[in-house]
Amino acid sequence: MSKILIHTLGSSGDFNPFMALALELRRRGHTVSWAVSPKFAEKARAQGFEASVAGVDPDWESDMLRRMLAAHLTEPIRIMFKEVLIPAIVPATLAIEPLAREADLFISHTI
């Protein structure tokens, strides 16, 4: 069977659908591992998966979250991309690259 690496950035809304996929892939006999933030690495390990840290956990108690909640409809998206997602791309890529070389399939999502 295949060795599959799953990567996701973001919140539980990003992680949870991938967890459902990972559980089904494992049930079908594939070896699934994760490259995610520390919080989600813990969750993946709790389900019995191998997980490597690729990224950081956002500080949801930060000034950024307060600004996102106080802003008009499109401003939170700009803040999230500028301050969280775009800065996370290079460090995540550096962490993921050696892991992906060992995988038969790499699954991620667009941001």
Side-chain angles (χ1 to χ4, degrees):
M1 287 290 157
S2 297
K3 290 173 56 178
I4 300 169
L5 175 64
I6 298 177
H7 167 258
T8 184
L9 293 171
S11 67
S12 294
D14 300 294
F15 176 81
N16 291 339
F18 282 107
M19 178 55 75
L21 176 63
L23 291 167
E24 180 60 19
L25 288 167
R26 181 172 64 187
R27 187 188 72 74
R28 293 180 182 209
H30 299 285
T31 302
V32 179
S33 60
W34 292 82
V36 289
S37 68
K39 171 184 170 181
F40 294 123
E42 289 176 24
K43 290 184 179 210
R45 290 182 193 120
Q47 292 296 321
F49 292 103
E50 181 180 318
S52 298
V53 172
V56 298
D57 288 324
D59 179 4
W60 296 109
E61 300 299 320
S62 70
D63 178 60
M64 178 195 70
L65 182 61
R66 284 189 291 281
R67 288 184 290 120
M68 286 176 61
L69 293 174
H72 62 77
L73 190 58
T74 59
E75 186 66 12
I77 296 167
R78 185 191 67 74
I79 293 169
M80 179 63 77
F81 271 79
K82 183 177 178 184
E83 297 183 28
V84 177
L85 295 176
I86 292 172
I89 291 171
V90 170
T93 301
L94 293 173
I96 292 166
E97 184 179 8
L99 302 170
R101 290 181 191 280
E102 301 294 321
D104 298 315
L105 176 66
F106 174 64
I107 300 172
S108 190
H109 62 86
T110 59
I111 54 170

